[in-house]
Amino acid sequence: MLAPSRRAESTLDRAAARVLRANWREGRHASGLEYGYTCPAPPRYRHMWHWDSCFHAIAWRLVDPARARTELRTVLRSGRPDGFLPHTVFWDAPAGWRRAPLYATRGFLGDCRTETIGPPLLALAWELVAAASPNEPGFAGEALGELGTHLSWLARARDPDDDGLLTILVPDESGLDDSPKYEPVYGRLTHDRLGYMLLIERGRRLRWDAHALIERYDHHVEDVWMNVAYALSLRALGRLAGEPCWARRAERVERALLERCYDERTGLFFDLAGRDERPVRVSTWSALSPLVLEGIPDDVRVRIVEEQLLDGRRYRAPVGIPSVSMQEPTFNPCWDRFRCWRGPSWVNTAWLLVPAMRRLGYEAQADRVVASLQAAIEREGFREYYDPLTGEGLGARNFGWSTLLMDLL
Ligand code: GLC
C-alpha cells in the first residue's frame, strides 16, 4: 500500500515544484524596488496577490525556502511605511487597460498597487517559512517591527468602532470575491455586477479612507474569514516576537468572533454587515473558518466538524470542502464565467481546515478530504478549484496555491 501512494506523492511534489518555478517572476520595479514573487496563474493572474503570495511562500518552503523568503520580503515591501499592505501589486506589468478600472487603485490607470487589503496572512506565513529556514536564523526576527506595524495599521484603519473586528470595504478584500454571502450586503454593487464600478469609484473619491467610507456609506462587512486570518497572524507574531501583547490582541479578536458572530442555533459564524451589524446568514466555508483558531472553545469547534464538515448535505462532498454549503440555494459546483467562490472546492481552504480537523481527532475524515483532492489533482492538474461533486478541474490551470496540497500529504 505504501509504495504507490509514495510514488504518487513524489510525482505530485515534482509537478508542484514545476508550477511554482514556471510562475516565478523576479526583477526590479521602476521605483527601484526589487521583487520576486509567484504569479497565481499566468496569463490570467499575472500580478502579485497578498494572500496568494503568503500561500505560495508556504508551498515554496517545501521546495526552495530561499524563494519562500524572497516572496514574503517582496510582500512586505509592497506597501507603505505606515503598515498598509495592498491586495494586488503590479510589479512586472501594469494592469491591462480593460481590467485596470476595476482594480481598487487610487487612479484609473497606471498605479502600481491597489489601495485595498487582502486576508492578512503575512505573519503566519513568516512563522512557517522561518521554521523551514534553519540556515537563515535571522529571518524569523528580521521583520518583527514591520509585521507589528502592519497589524497595528489594520486595527487603526479597519476597526473604526474598536470592537476588535476588522471591516472590509469591497467584497474581494477577503479574497472571496463573488461569495454569495456578499449579495445581501452589496446588492447590485457585488463583484460580478456593473454596480461594482460605482463601489470602486466611491473608494477612489474618498481616497480609500475606511473611516470616511464607513461614515458615508453602509456597504462594509465585519468579515469572519478576514478576522480569522488576522487572529492567526496576531498569534504567529506573538510567537515570533515572544511578546504577549500580540496573543492578547488575538484573544480579543477570537472573543469578538465568538460573542458577536457566532450563531448558537446553527453553530456557524456569520459576517456582520453595515453600521447596525446585521448578521449575514449564508453558510459558506468562511462561517466554518474559526475552526482553526485556538481561542475558540472545543465544543464550538467540534460542532463545526460534526454538523458541517461531516454532513453529506452540507460540506462533506466527494471532493474537497465546498466553498458554499451544498444546502444553500446559491450553491453552484460548476465553473461560472463571472463568479467564483460559489461552490467549488479550493485547496487553500482545505489547507486551513484539514489540520484543525486533525487536531480535534478527526484523522480519518481529514485524510479522506486530502485523498479526494490528491486524486483530483493527479487527474486534472493544479487547477484554481474543483467541482466538489465530480472532481473536475475548473478555472485557471497551473494555479500556484493548489500546490499547498504537498503540505497536507
Ligand atoms: C481570484 C480569487 C482571489 C485570488 C485571485 C488571484 O480573484 O477569487 O481569491 O486572490 O483570484 O489568484
Side-chain angles (χ1 to χ4, degrees), residues 40 45 49 51-52 175 177 340-341 399 401:
Y45 300 115
W49 273 265
W51 77 324
D52 293 69
D177 313 15
C340 53
W341 297 103
F399 193 74
W401 79 39

